[in-house]
Structure formats: C-alpha cells, structure tokens
Amino acid sequence: MAAKSAQVGDIVESTCRKCNDITGHAIVSILDGEIAKVECRGCGSVHKYRPASKPGSSKAATSSSSASQSKKTASKGKKGPTAKEKEAQQLAEQCYKQWQNKMETKDPAESKTYSMQGQFQNNDLIDHPSFGLGIVQRTIPPNKIDVLFQDGEKRLRCAPVSSSGQPA
C-alpha cells in the first residue's frame, strides 16, 4: 500500500511476529510519509510496520525467512536455563529431598484423606486427590494448613478449630 494514501487508523496487511502470521493491522503512526507503527488487530500488539511479503513473491524473501527461522532454532538449542529457572529447579529439588526424608518415618497406610471439612494437626500425613501424599508442616488458625508435598509446599483450607480443640 502506498504510504501517501495511508492515514492513521487505516487497515493494512503486516507481518506480526507475536501472532507469527500476516494479519490486518491498524496504522498507529506515520513518519516522513511512511507507515511507522501498526497495531495488530489479532493480538493487540503495537510494533514497527513490516510489509507483508506475498507467498512466492521473491526467492530472496523466502530464503531470508527460512534463514532467520533456522537461526532462531539454532539459538534456542544453545541457550541454557536462566538464573530464575535454575533457582526454581534447586528449590524444587530441596522440597523433594525434604519430603522424602519426612516420608521415611511415615506409613502411607495411616494417611488421612484430605477434605476441606477435615481437621489436621502438625506432622499428620494426608492424601490429597491432586497433590498426593503430604505432611502437615503447620496449622494456621482458624482454618488453614501448610502441607509439604513431593512437588513443594501448598497452603490448604481445613475445618476451623476452636481454642478448645473442638470444631467451630
């Protein structure tokens, strides 16, 4: 589309990298008679205008896109986990080891089935339908417990307990 006839708000075809497709875009800004920024009508992202390349329009466009695609693939394979991912993995391993150590002294046959209406005390072994076996780490009055499961600690709801130890 010729930029001279284009106006802010017009719809143009542009390559959206977020959608990974050629989609309709609304023109957001024009600089020096050229379309500068567009907003994707599919995902809402605002980015530089990238003219849509028509399929089979030129071999150069096709080879450059395949070259950039292989470059992206190659770079993905070289990257290792980020610092946050490493930290999360270490934390998960620590939780698992802690859970394993505590489970050595417990008999799974003596576990209580978890229910939001159930009452639990510290060191109770519970069987949760989604998280599996866990050990109550602490009770949080009036109606919460922290439970250590194989994949980490979770805060769960339980029946309130009054100060006399009876259900409220």
Side-chain angles (χ1 to χ4, degrees):
M1 174 180 235
K4 291 178 184 173
S5 63
Q7 296 179 1
V8 172
D10 286 351
I11 306 301
V12 295
E13 295 273 310
S14 180
T15 303
C16 180
R17 291 186 179 154
K18 191 170 183 182
C19 293
N20 199 24
D21 199 6
I22 297 171
T23 59
H25 287 69
I27 298 173
V28 174
S29 67
I30 298 175
L31 295 174
D32 299 326
E34 298 289 324
I35 301 171
K37 294 217 175 216
V38 292
E39 179 179 4
C40 179
R41 295 176 71 197
C43 68
S45 67
V46 177
H47 55 81
K48 287 199 279 187
Y49 173 65
R50 295 179 201 93
S53 57
K54 304 291 182 203
S57 62
S58 72
K59 290 184 179 181
T62 308
S63 65
S64 68
S65 67
S66 64
S68 66
Q69 193 73 313
S70 64
K71 183 179 175 183
K72 287 179 187 176
T73 307
S75 67
K76 284 183 183 177
K78 291 180 184 178
K79 289 184 181 178
T82 64
K84 282 186 179 182
E85 290 170 336
K86 286 180 183 177
E87 186 178 330
Q89 186 177 9
Q90 287 174 345
L91 185 61
E93 288 172 4
Q94 284 176 339
C95 283
Y96 178 73
K97 287 177 183 175
Q98 185 181 6
W99 177 83
Q100 236 179 354
N101 289 339
K102 291 190 177 207
M103 284 300 293
E104 288 175 357
T105 61
K106 302 286 185 181
D107 180 13
E110 296 176 6
S111 66
K112 296 180 179 179
T113 302
Y114 171 75
S115 165
M116 285 195 286
Q117 291 78 30
Q119 292 186 334
F120 306 98
Q121 297 176 351
N122 290 349
N123 294 319
D124 279 353
L125 181 65
I126 64 169
D127 187 10
H128 190 278
S130 298
F131 305 126
L133 291 174
I135 300 149
V136 177
Q137 298 298 294
R138 64 193 136 283
T139 57
I140 304 164
N143 64 343
K144 299 230 175 15
I145 54 175
D146 284 342
V147 183
L148 180 64
F149 291 102
Q150 186 172 354
D151 61 343
E153 195 169 278
K154 310 278 187 210
R155 181 161 290 171
L156 304 175
R157 190 171 158 226
C158 62
V161 178
S162 67
S163 58
S164 65
Q166 297 299 319

